[in-house]
Amino acid sequence: VAGNDLVAKSYQFMAEELSGFNIPVSQLELVRTHESAKFRYVNFRQLHQGLEIINSRLTLKFTKNDEVILFGLDVFNDINLSTTPTISESQAKTLAQAGLENIETVTAEPQLRVLAIPGEQQYTFRLVRTIFVAAIDDERVPENWEVLVDAHNGQLLSRSNLVVQVTPRRPSNNRPEAGGNLRMYGTVYPDHPYAPDSLVALPHLQ
């Protein structure tokens, strides 16, 4: 691919080889470029009317000879969405706390975002407020909930705890106590993808 630099080469490749995908090039924002020993990478994200589309990505992988050997597209060219919220930040904070206990703090990202929800042969798009709810569970383990609240109707679209742990717990409610040893296995192709797969131990998993 021709071009003065890696970003220019990326746009050139989109124009020459990916025109059939109707990529919304004007909505792309460069995230980063980086290199490994053999390859170079370019990653973009998509903005709709200046708002980040959650988990959007356009990525290209180049050899050191400027050959594209991989591209990936998680971008959208059919977004029809009002970016004017009807749910205020304070309302979203209240809605995000539903069902949670021992709450310590509730904060909101000032910037609205867009969530693409996959459906049957198409996506639907929601304008969302991102709320963080910090709490403590009944065993004094911190919780940090990331909550996506629909900024038009207040629906809770996603709630996930960013604090992830694996620890032995005291037996309660007839639950067995967790041990300290964890052995992980994976189904892999030990020789090549056309040979039978095998269930093998993963000794170096951190």
Side-chain angles (χ1 to χ4, degrees):
V1 181
N4 293 329
D5 54 43
L6 206 56
V7 175
K9 295 177 192 295
S10 298
Y11 281 111
Q12 183 71 20
F13 181 77
M14 292 181 220
E16 292 183 352
E17 305 295 341
L18 303 181
S19 59
F21 290 100
N22 297 318
I23 295 171
V25 175
S26 64
Q27 297 182 9
L28 297 181
E29 179 182 73
L30 179 67
V31 175
R32 67 184 295 234
T33 64
H34 65 283
E35 296 190 20
S36 67
K38 295 182 179 179
F39 304 108
R40 299 191 292 171
Y41 303 84
V42 185
N43 287 289
F44 299 85
R45 67 174 181 171
Q46 184 181 0
L47 305 179
H48 175 68
Q49 297 183 23
L51 302 182
E52 176 193 358
I53 301 176
I54 298 171
N55 295 327
S56 62
R57 186 176 69 158
L58 188 152
T59 185
L60 294 166
K61 180 179 179 181
F62 291 82
T63 67
K64 292 299 178 71
N65 295 323
D66 296 326
E67 301 165 319
V68 175
I69 60 172
L70 176 148
F71 69 89
L73 308 177
D74 287 302
V75 293
F76 310 92
N77 56 24
D78 58 348
I79 301 174
N80 183 15
L81 178 71
S82 169
T83 57
T84 302
T86 55
I87 299 296
S88 68
E89 181 179 299
S90 61
Q91 288 174 312
K93 286 181 176 179
T94 300
L95 293 166
Q97 299 175 55
L100 298 179
E101 299 178 348
N102 302 321
I103 294 171
E104 295 191 329
T105 61
V106 182
T107 58
E109 282 192 354
Q111 188 72 16
L112 294 163
R113 298 193 293 172
V114 176
L115 178 65
I117 301 176
E120 186 174 352
Q121 298 184 350
Q122 64 181 358
Y123 283 80
T124 58
F125 301 94
R126 304 284 191 94
L127 183 70
V128 299
R129 291 190 182 276
T130 305
I131 310 296
F132 294 96
V133 182
I136 298 288
D137 73 8
D138 58 358
E139 295 189 352
R140 307 304 299 167
V141 177
E143 299 175 333
N144 185 17
W145 296 96
E146 181 185 44
V147 188
L148 300 183
V149 180
D150 191 306
H152 288 144
N153 61 22
Q155 180 183 1
L156 295 186
L157 299 174
S158 170
R159 185 157 64 187
S160 58
N161 188 3
L162 302 182
V163 178
V164 180
Q165 64 158 349
V166 178
T167 60
R169 289 178 174 267
R170 297 184 300 275
S172 61
N173 299 325
N174 296 319
R175 292 182 302 174
E177 183 174 358
N181 293 323
L182 184 65
R183 182 170 296 176
M184 301 295 292
Y185 293 87
T187 301
V188 302
Y189 297 95
D191 297 318
H192 56 77
Y194 300 103
D197 57 22
S198 298
L199 185 67
V200 301
L202 305 176
H204 305 296
L205 188 67
Q206 296 289 336

